[in-house]
Amino acid sequence: MTRPRLPLLRAASRLAAFAAATAGVLLAFAVPANAAAPTGRYVALGDSYTSAPLVPTQVDLNCLRSNRNYPSLVAASAGSSSFADVSCSGATTEDILVGGSGALGISLPPQLSAVTSNTSLVTVQIGGNDIGFSGIISDCAEASLRSPLGSPCKNRYTAGGVDQLQARIAATAPKVTAVLQAVRRAAPDARVVVLGYPAILPDSGYGCWPVVPIAYQDVPYLRSVQKSLNTMLAATAAANDASYADVYAPSVGHDTCKSSGTRWVEGLIPQNAAAPFHPNARGEQGMANALLARLNS
């Protein structure tokens, strides 16, 4: 496949001019030095929540990948003997198994090809693009302008009595299964860890429209969709000889509605260097800490 890949949730740019914030205000956090992560070859697979578009410093413009994303932080902390980060903005499960292309339209091999028989650690963060999260956020944000106090997004996706987004999550489960089984075949002795997604919206309440343009009654609905996606990823990991790293729980209180010095995930108009509705450097560090804690357990 050679269709262009763009970052997860990039469709938010249809609603507002894209504003990249300066990098100077990003905070640094210490990574635990005693994490019991495997010290051999580490391969990171995933989408833009892994690659960290626009987080300084970008080292791959085709995949919008940062050298301060959570895999890079974990590799440095663990002292990995070799490290391959093939995560790419816009990636789906198909990009891991078959290949595709990046934001510049440059063709990419399957991410799976980086996983070798001597790999000791593989992390996987995938599924958001498979359920179409970019279009979901864009559609819901646009709908909120017409009905900021209502639930126009929920009404759209549950029309006819069938929740389309829950159906998409269910349909993504076998795709994630296929990825994990392929990883296990490629690296039979590797430790495989699946990561969920951090909190985008507040863990309670009705959000902060219009700062984050999601209608009040749609916030609980979209929060439940994200939690369902994470639940599916955890269950699929458990069923396929993989661990699950919960990055949602530690991100509670660091959602898009929080101040620029607190949030892990930026909103529609980023105030820290990151793509809209994506983790900033603080969020990448938070996910690194959660992953190291999981490896240490």
Side-chain angles (χ1 to χ4, degrees):
M1 296 178 59
T2 58
R3 62 183 182 279
R5 296 291 188 184
L6 297 175
L8 182 66
L9 311 182
R10 68 165 293 278
S13 62
R14 289 157 43 190
L15 307 173
F18 181 82
T22 60
V25 297
L26 296 176
L27 300 181
F29 291 83
V31 179
N34 60 344
T39 57
R41 177 175 172 79
Y42 169 26
V43 178
L45 314 178
D47 55 30
S48 55
Y49 269 56
T50 308
S51 67
L54 302 189
V55 173
T57 298
Q58 295 286 288
V59 293
D60 185 329
L61 296 182
N62 190 41
C63 282
L64 300 175
R65 187 186 307 126
S66 170
N67 64 359
R68 296 294 295 173
N69 61 3
Y70 74 79
S72 298
L73 298 172
V74 168
S77 178
S80 302
S81 62
S82 65
F83 173 50
D85 181 1
V86 291
S87 61
C88 197
S89 292
T92 66
T93 51
E94 190 171 18
D95 290 274
I96 293 180
L97 295 172
V98 179
S101 59
L104 300 180
I106 300 172
S107 296
L108 296 165
Q111 292 186 20
L112 182 66
S113 63
V115 181
T116 55
S117 60
N118 65 338
T119 300
S120 61
L121 174 63
V122 181
T123 58
V124 183
Q125 189 179 43
I126 204 72
N129 288 317
D130 288 83
I131 71 167
F133 224 24
S134 60
I136 294 166
I137 291 293
S138 178
D139 291 344
C140 293
E142 289 180 354
S144 79
L145 301 178
R146 301 189 297 272
S147 180
L149 299 179
S151 56
C153 183
K154 179 180 179 180
N155 296 345
R156 170 177 179 171
Y157 286 113
T158 62
V162 175
D163 191 321
Q164 300 172 40
L165 302 188
Q166 295 296 338
R168 292 183 192 179
I169 291 170
T172 300
K175 299 176 183 179
V176 177
T177 294
V179 166
L180 297 179
Q181 291 179 350
V183 168
R184 181 57 64 202
R185 288 192 296 270
D189 299 323
R191 187 167 183 183
V192 182
V193 183
V194 176
L195 285 82
Y197 291 89
I200 299 172
L201 297 169
D203 192 52
S204 62
Y206 298 94
C208 54
W209 193 93
V211 175
V212 174
I214 302 296
Y216 285 178
Q217 298 297 327
D218 278 335
V219 170
Y221 172 64
L222 291 181
R223 179 167 59 234
S224 70
V225 169
Q226 184 180 8
K227 288 186 174 183
S228 292
L229 174 60
N230 283 340
T231 297
M232 179 275 286
L233 293 171
T236 304
N240 289 278
D241 193 26
S243 301
Y244 177 73
D246 178 10
V247 300
Y248 185 95
S251 72
V252 170
H254 301 278
D255 55 79
T256 56
C257 287
K258 298 302 184 290
S259 69
S260 62
T262 300
R263 69 178 66 126
W264 285 13
V265 178
E266 294 299 314
L268 180 63
I269 307 298
Q271 294 182 316
N272 295 291
F277 293 106
H278 280 69
N280 54 34
R282 189 180 300 105
E284 293 293 327
Q285 184 69 71
M287 289 193 287
N289 290 345
L291 175 55
L292 286 166
R294 184 69 183 92
L295 291 171
N296 195 40
S297 68

